[in-house]
Amino acid sequence: MAILNSRARGKARGLWLLTLASLVVSLFGTTALKNASHRVASPMHAAANVFIDPLASKTLWAGTLDPALISALLDADIVQKIYAGLLKQVYDDRTKQFKVVPDLAAGMPTISKDGLVYTFKIRSDARFSDGTPVTAQDFVWSFERVLSPKANSPVSYYLFDIKGASDFNSGKLKSFSDVGVKALDARTLRITLWHPVVYFPYALTYPTGDVVKKSLPIGANVTSNPSLVVGAGPWMLKNRTWKYRSEIDLVPNPYYWEAKRFTLKEIHLVFTGSNETMLAGYRSGQFPLAWLPSADVVSYRGKPEFRDTVILGDLWYDMNVHIPPFNNLHFRRAVAYAINRSAIANGVDRRTVQPLVGWYPKGILGYDPTIQKQSGVPYYNPSIARSELAMAKKQMKSVPPISLEFATEISDRAREAAEVQANLGAMGIHITLHPVPRATWITDGNSGKTQFMVGDWFDDYPDPQDFSDYLLKTGAGENWGRYSNPTVDKLFAGHSRARPAEA
């Protein structure tokens, strides 16, 4: 669960406020909604020290269990139980914020005065779940495995602040020895950045920073081969196996440095087809908790088992700027003005989300509650939508068929998409709806070949860079609308992100 208080990134405030207006106008008509998570939970199974954790997946399995490839929350939830990295995020009840603390590192790194060199000491008792020691060279291999062009990792960019990482990933550097990750000895790891950035410790907490054994090859099919799942995290596969497309049972990793503090004896990860299936299992006593679709929140709100948690994230609609009709600016603007955010938030989603006009949600530096009043920022206005559509049709020979793709695990997405379909239909823009499993949705989005799709993002860490470089920058893997603007890229770069000439 994410927090509402963000860590400031130096002098970035002016940068983010300046970029918002241009982004929202010309990007993809962002219909953003600040999300909240709602769940019901009972204390059942606690006496047995066993926790049953239901997961909603249409495929009844994870999209991937390889730390090098994680791009979905469900997959990350599993992987981060089994694997570990140098650092991790923990929630501080006193400050109400997540903070970065050592995990397999013996302490926080020493950082050079210029902010470029991070030196970590590995814990002397760091072990994989098979008992073998974790070494600095294991981390070197783990980073190489993520960044290798052969890995085709959709999330390798989490490591691109490391010197040479981007060039190695693109094939410009042929040897990983030229990348700024070095094992100085068995327990000392040095990471050199190409520019100083304060969010780097946060970036290392993403699964791309997790350590794997040197025996795990690039491209290994971890997701369907339990014998390859050997991590150094707090949990491990029970009996080194699983019930494929059904359940993953975890037991404490006896070699994990905090294992003696565990009170839980087992975690059962049970795959369900949807949140509705999960809720049905909760009502029947099969599961101790369930994530609630917005339609069911009203009936549970106020009851003792109900929990309401704010999530720092966005929901929007990606229009691919290279695919007709969204390659036409006026058409994109017509869509942006036609979508009624308030109707979605207050009606469809029963006030479980909040309308958001700008890109950064409340709690992220750059959030601007006054942006709707700024000139040129699209918000629901049928008159302007019709005018923009008329201008678009004058420039286009015809409007091709339009299909809106969304993931099916969360039923709210289908209801939201139906509202968007009605909004656009009222303007004379007719679309069809294309529901797919979340794993397919992610693959299609990353491909850059999908015309129109729902997008969502929940923070990896509370810094605006997490909502910018990974989502909007030219070439970013999660930039599903393929938006590109050199001016915006330069604003993102700011004073600290300009690549040095020698890099």
Side-chain angles (χ1 to χ4, degrees):
M1 298 297 98
I3 57 173
L4 282 182
N5 293 13
S6 66
R7 292 179 179 269
R9 181 184 162 195
K11 300 179 181 179
R13 178 176 292 277
L15 162 65
W16 304 121
L17 296 184
L18 285 172
T19 62
L20 281 173
S22 60
L23 287 175
V24 177
V25 169
S26 60
L27 182 54
F28 20 66
T30 305
T31 302
L33 303 169
K34 189 181 74 177
N35 285 261
S37 71
H38 310 274
R39 66 188 178 111
V40 286
S42 70
M44 64 184 297
H45 306 288
N49 293 321
V50 173
F51 179 63
I52 298 177
D53 188 5
L55 305 171
S57 169
K58 284 290 184 183
T59 61
L60 299 179
W61 202 245
T64 180
L65 292 175
D66 189 332
L69 305 177
I70 297 296
S71 60
L73 284 172
L74 180 146
D75 301 344
D77 183 39
I78 302 170
V79 162
Q80 290 180 332
K81 289 178 173 65
I82 299 172
Y83 295 88
L86 295 163
L87 306 172
K88 64 182 179 180
Q89 295 184 54
V90 298
Y91 187 71
D92 188 322
D93 290 323
R94 181 180 58 83
T95 64
K96 309 300 181 184
Q97 295 186 11
F98 281 95
K99 62 181 180 180
V100 177
V101 300
D103 194 359
L104 298 184
M108 294 302 289
T110 58
I111 305 173
S112 61
K113 290 183 178 180
D114 61 6
L116 294 177
V117 181
Y118 288 65
T119 304
F120 291 89
K121 284 291 185 179
I122 312 298
R123 294 182 62 91
S124 60
D125 56 352
R127 295 284 190 278
F128 288 102
S129 59
D130 63 0
T132 56
V134 174
T135 68
Q137 191 58 46
D138 290 316
F139 274 100
V140 173
W141 167 245
S142 300
F143 288 127
E144 180 176 356
R145 190 172 173 275
V146 172
L147 292 167
S148 171
K150 296 179 181 179
N152 196 29
S153 169
V155 286
S156 57
Y157 50 79
Y158 280 92
L159 301 178
F160 280 4
D161 293 306
I162 298 173
K163 184 179 179 181
S166 177
D167 287 341
F168 178 74
N169 182 253
S170 67
K172 293 178 181 178
L173 286 178
K174 300 302 181 184
S175 173
F176 193 73
S177 63
D178 296 321
V179 177
V181 183
K182 309 290 181 185
L184 302 185
D185 57 46
R187 291 189 51 227
T188 308
L189 182 74
R190 185 183 68 200
I191 300 176
T192 303
L193 309 185
W194 64 264
H195 64 155
V197 286
V198 297
Y199 58 78
F200 183 66
Y202 271 119
L204 280 182
T205 67
Y206 195 77
T208 46
D210 289 346
V211 68
V212 299
K213 298 196 69 172
K214 288 185 287 185
S215 58
L216 184 65
I218 295 169
N221 190 1
V222 181
T223 309
S224 59
N225 188 343
S227 67
L228 297 178
V229 182
V230 181
W235 298 87
M236 58 186 286
L237 298 182
K238 183 179 181 180
N239 299 324
R240 300 183 183 277
T241 190
W242 52 41
K243 302 171 186 176
Y244 188 60
R245 288 179 60 90
S246 174
E247 184 174 325
I248 296 176
D249 295 338
L250 303 176
V251 294
N253 170 9
Y255 299 102
Y256 184 64
W257 64 278
E258 281 191 308
K260 292 181 180 179
R261 297 177 56 188
F262 290 5
T263 55
L264 278 178
K265 300 302 182 184
E266 291 189 20
I267 297 177
H268 295 177
L269 304 173
V270 182
F271 291 87
T272 69
S274 67
N275 281 355
E276 281 74 15
T277 308
M278 189 188 303
L279 182 57
Y282 172 81
R283 287 169 171 162
S284 69
Q286 181 183 3
F287 304 139
L289 63 82
W291 300 101
L292 290 174
S294 61
D296 293 284
V297 169
V298 174
S299 61
Y300 279 97
R301 180 171 275 137
K303 293 185 178 180
E305 72 251 51
F306 180 79
R307 301 291 184 273
D308 188 357
T309 305
V310 173
I311 296 179
L312 194 60
D314 287 350
L315 167 69
W316 67 92
Y317 292 86
D318 274 310
M319 305 180 229
N320 193 311
V321 298
H322 298 294
I323 300 177
F326 299 114
N327 58 348
N328 183 284
L329 173 60
H330 291 296
F331 195 89
R332 296 199 302 272
R333 287 173 61 86
V335 171
Y337 279 109
I339 296 177
N340 190 338
R341 296 165 172 79
S342 295
I344 296 173
N346 300 327
V348 177
D349 287 335
R350 315 289 179 88
R351 300 182 184 275
T352 60
V353 297
Q354 296 180 12
L356 187 64
V357 182
W359 186 250
Y360 302 99
K362 186 177 181 180
I364 283 289
L365 188 63
Y367 168 71
D368 183 0
T370 69
I371 194 170
Q372 184 179 337
K373 300 177 182 178
Q374 297 177 21
S375 175
V377 176
Y379 200 66
Y380 180 60
N381 190 316
S383 177
I384 297 179
R386 291 188 180 94
S387 176
E388 291 288 344
L389 181 59
M391 287 188 281
K393 288 183 174 179
K394 287 182 180 179
Q395 297 175 353
M396 299 187 299
K397 294 181 179 179
S398 62
V399 178
I402 301 172
S403 175
L404 174 61
E405 182 172 317
F406 59 91
T408 52
E409 279 80 354
I410 301 176
S411 60
D412 292 350
R413 298 296 174 265
R415 291 190 291 271
E416 292 154 359
E419 178 69 16
V420 169
Q421 184 183 44
N423 289 168
L424 297 181
M427 300 297 111
I429 301 172
H430 302 289
I431 68 172
T432 58
L433 303 183
H434 182 46
V436 297
R438 189 171 182 89
T440 302
W441 171 76
I442 290 174
T443 299
D444 289 347
N446 289 340
S447 74
K449 298 177 181 178
T450 307
Q451 179 193 38
F452 189 28
M453 62 193 310
V454 176
D456 66 33
W457 184 264
F458 304 104
D459 78 312
D460 303 303
Y461 42 87
D463 190 283
Q465 179 268 347
D466 187 53
F467 284 78
S468 305
D469 286 3
Y470 304 154
L471 299 176
L472 303 178
K473 192 171 65 174
T474 299
E478 304 283 349
N479 182 350
W480 290 357
R482 293 306 188 258
Y483 171 76
S484 178
N485 187 321
T487 301
V488 172
D489 290 341
K490 188 175 181 179
L491 288 169
F492 284 163
H495 68 279
S496 66
R497 293 193 60 83
R499 183 179 291 275
E502 65 272 15

